[in-house]
Amino acid sequence: MADDPRPEDDEPTTPTFSESLAAAARQSGFGQLKPGETPSFGTLIGAIGGVRGVIESVLPGIAFLVLYLTTHNLLISVLVPVLLVFGFAVARAGAKSSLQSAITGAILLAISAVLVLITGKAVTNFVPGIIINAAGFVVVLVSILVRWPLIGVIVGLLFGDADGWRRDAAKRRILTIATWLWVGLFTIRLVLEVPLYAANNVAALGIVRLITSVPLYALFLWATWLLVRGVYAGDRVDADAGEALEDDHTS
């Protein structure tokens, strides 16, 4: 008796590297942008995690700053924000929401808390963030230097234009400018935060971190969206015109 053939559809498939990159791009703030679409305030809020995501991003930082300035107790100052983030993760798990940002935040805060308790210095709480910004600066700058600007790569994956944008001089130029914006974002953060860290100014560093996190990120994301919209607006018009012609032929 011959063995029953195994249906190919039941076999698990491993996503390719490009598919994995595209999935990661969709998870970024640019994932909600459509070619030629004007980003609205609501879309922008959604891209940075929605109202809930904004609260989850800024509340632990506010809690740390307020508790440290009022109590000067390092254990309480780092423990409460960590508990807050883990509480957010539990709430998201109960609501069956995405846990990626909550888990990432919890890990970073846990690392910060351990560093603070080991060193006995509140300013150490900001070290992981400074390191992340330094790494982001290097990655984005290198992407420009090797002529694969990161924003172009992300947008290309989102719009199904993986390398076509590099052959279009106008798209490549605008997407390179958009990537330079993010070099600027990381530069602003580092220029403001590193001297305050060196001066052990916890209060000023905490305030700067709050301002340059969600608000500044949202501003740069908005500016990038407008640049991307401008360079892909023609594609949207051409696509709409093509659909209109198809409708005329089929009617």
Side-chain angles (χ1 to χ4, degrees), residues 52-211:
R52 179 178 181 177
V54 172
I55 293 173
E56 292 177 352
S57 296
V58 302
L59 190 57
I62 294 174
F64 170 82
L65 187 60
V66 171
L67 288 171
Y68 178 74
L69 293 179
T70 55
T71 69
H72 291 283
N73 186 307
L74 288 178
L75 181 60
I76 293 175
S77 300
V78 299
L79 186 58
V80 171
V82 170
L83 292 176
L84 277 174
V85 173
F86 275 101
F88 294 152
V90 171
R92 282 186 173 271
K96 296 182 179 180
S97 301
S98 173
L99 290 173
Q100 181 177 347
S101 60
I103 291 174
T104 302
I107 292 173
L108 289 175
L109 272 180
I111 293 173
S112 298
V114 170
L115 289 175
V116 169
L117 296 177
I118 289 176
T119 62
K121 296 180 179 179
V123 74
T124 315
N125 180 69
F126 303 97
V127 168
I130 291 174
I131 293 174
I132 290 172
N133 283 315
F137 172 84
V138 171
V139 169
V140 177
L141 183 59
V142 168
S143 77
I144 294 174
L145 295 178
V146 299
R147 299 182 182 276
W148 279 89
L150 186 59
I151 300 303
V153 174
I154 294 173
V155 171
L157 290 170
L158 288 174
F159 295 170
D161 187 26
D163 59 359
W165 60 271
R166 297 186 75 242
R167 296 191 296 269
D168 186 315
K171 287 182 179 180
R172 186 175 66 251
R173 182 167 54 253
I174 296 300
L175 293 173
T176 299
I177 292 172
T179 306
W180 274 112
L181 283 179
W182 293 86
V183 174
L185 172 65
F186 292 122
T187 300
I188 289 171
R189 287 175 173 175
L190 291 171
V191 166
L192 292 176
E193 292 181 12
V194 171
L196 292 174
Y197 172 80
N200 198 33
N201 193 332
V202 177
L205 187 52
I207 293 171
V208 166
R209 173 63 60 83
L210 290 173
I211 294 173

Side-chain angles (χ1 to χ4, degrees), residues 26-57:
R26 286 191 292 271
Q27 292 294 323
S28 70
F30 298 98
Q32 298 189 30
L33 182 62
K34 304 297 185 296
E37 180 183 78
T38 301
S40 64
F41 179 75
T43 307
L44 179 63
I45 293 296
I48 59 177
V51 174
R52 179 178 181 177
V54 172
I55 293 173
E56 292 177 352
S57 296

